[in-house]
Amino acid sequence: MQMQTFQAAQATLHVQKTGDGPPVVLIHGLSGSSRWWRRNIPALSREHQVFVLDLVGYGRAWRQRALSVQAASQLIADWLETEDLSDVTLIGHSMGGHIALRAAALAPERVDRLVLACASGLLKTSPTRAALKLPHAMMVGRPSFVPRIMADALRAGPLNLWHGASDLLRDSVHDLLPQISARTLVIWGARDVLVPVALGRTLAAAIPGAEYHEIPRAGHVVMVDAPETFNRLVLSFMKESEAV
């Protein structure tokens, strides 16, 4: 896997690249990292060029202050422009889905498809109340993944996590959704306790033509809890939308 960085406005985006074919960009969520896609990259990279991001303040880019959702979206849109990427599929989890939505709105000529996995953007709560749900969320998800969650959260640090959570909870995408032109797939874990399935259904209903799928027994980190089903849904969606 090739490593590269993109610098703009004193922020550095870390990017890993593998595979060949139409571009797919993976965007992790709050407290996450590029490692959260380990169970998805092999399947996606068989027929696609996969770019895996570490957002500013997280993962390999942890030595920086995290950006707001809107600033991170602009950075990704600028990176797509610099790399001259087109016919892009943006796949975002949780806050990464929130960022992907805004990036797609900023660069509609480059983003052709969106996959939103348990995306934030409509959640209305406080950072404290959201944090109180984390133990339950980890119990619902894949137990073997808990050490990775904890390690990445520690690496990001409490300030980045607090500022990130506060910002995403202030930033609603409600008015943006009807304007999304990218073909969209919304995937939710039926047992998601952080971003309830009702919000997933509302999100999908507000985006023109969006598909919606719920995966039974999967929690918030749906691409880790049910990787085979997640990969199958994503690959099928991309293949079907390419044929349109």
Side-chain angles (χ1 to χ4, degrees):
M1 189 173 283
Q2 299 176 12
M3 301 285 297
Q4 58 184 229
T5 59
F6 173 70
Q7 291 183 304
Q10 297 182 334
T12 302
L13 184 69
H14 283 241
V15 183
Q16 300 175 71
K17 180 172 66 172
T18 187
D20 292 297
V24 172
V25 179
L26 303 178
I27 309 172
H28 66 77
L30 181 69
S31 86
S33 75
S34 56
R35 296 176 179 87
W36 289 38
W37 302 102
R38 184 174 61 83
R39 294 175 173 85
N40 316 108
I41 294 169
L44 297 176
S45 61
R46 289 189 192 115
E47 297 182 7
H48 296 82
Q49 185 175 45
V50 179
F51 297 86
V52 194
L53 309 186
D54 278 298
L55 295 171
V56 177
Y58 304 94
R60 292 176 174 83
W62 68 279
R63 293 180 182 273
Q64 305 171 78
R65 179 167 179 171
L67 300 178
S68 67
V69 166
Q70 295 199 27
S73 304
Q74 185 64 63
L75 183 64
I76 291 171
D78 292 344
W79 169 71
L80 294 175
E81 180 76 21
T82 299
E83 293 292 315
D84 194 24
L85 295 175
S86 58
D87 193 29
V88 175
T89 300
L90 289 184
I91 303 179
H93 170 248
S94 194
M95 182 182 73
H98 192 155
I99 291 169
L101 273 164
R102 289 207 170 274
L106 289 168
E109 72 287 354
R110 296 193 176 276
V111 179
D112 190 56
R113 287 171 292 276
L114 272 175
V115 178
L116 307 175
C118 303
S120 60
L122 295 178
L123 191 61
K124 294 180 180 179
T125 187
S126 69
T128 302
R129 286 179 180 174
L132 290 174
K133 294 181 179 180
L134 288 174
H136 185 195
M138 287 191 285
M139 290 175 62
V140 165
R142 186 183 289 264
S144 62
F145 194 67
V146 172
R148 169 51 53 198
I149 294 174
M150 299 301 295
D152 282 339
L154 287 170
R155 198 173 198 191
L159 285 179
N160 272 347
L161 297 182
W162 180 263
H163 289 309
S166 299
D167 174 71
L168 75 86
L169 290 170
R170 286 193 300 266
D171 186 77
S172 174
V173 297
H174 180 272
D175 294 337
L176 182 68
L177 299 179
Q179 305 168 36
I180 296 298
S181 59
R183 286 166 283 191
T184 304
L185 170 65
V186 179
I187 302 177
W188 232 260
R191 301 177 68 192
D192 190 343
V193 298
L194 293 180
V195 188
V197 293
L199 292 182
R201 296 168 188 162
T202 299
L203 187 77
I207 299 173
E211 295 180 30
Y212 178 76
H213 290 273
E214 256 172 52
I215 301 179
R217 295 181 296 280
H220 183 63
V221 193
V222 62
M223 70 284 190
V224 171
D225 292 347
E228 294 84 4
T229 304
F230 182 88
N231 295 341
R232 177 176 52 77
L233 288 171
V234 171
L235 290 169
S236 176
F237 166 72
M238 289 195 292
K239 186 160 294 199
E240 289 170 4
S241 59
E242 285 170 2
V244 174

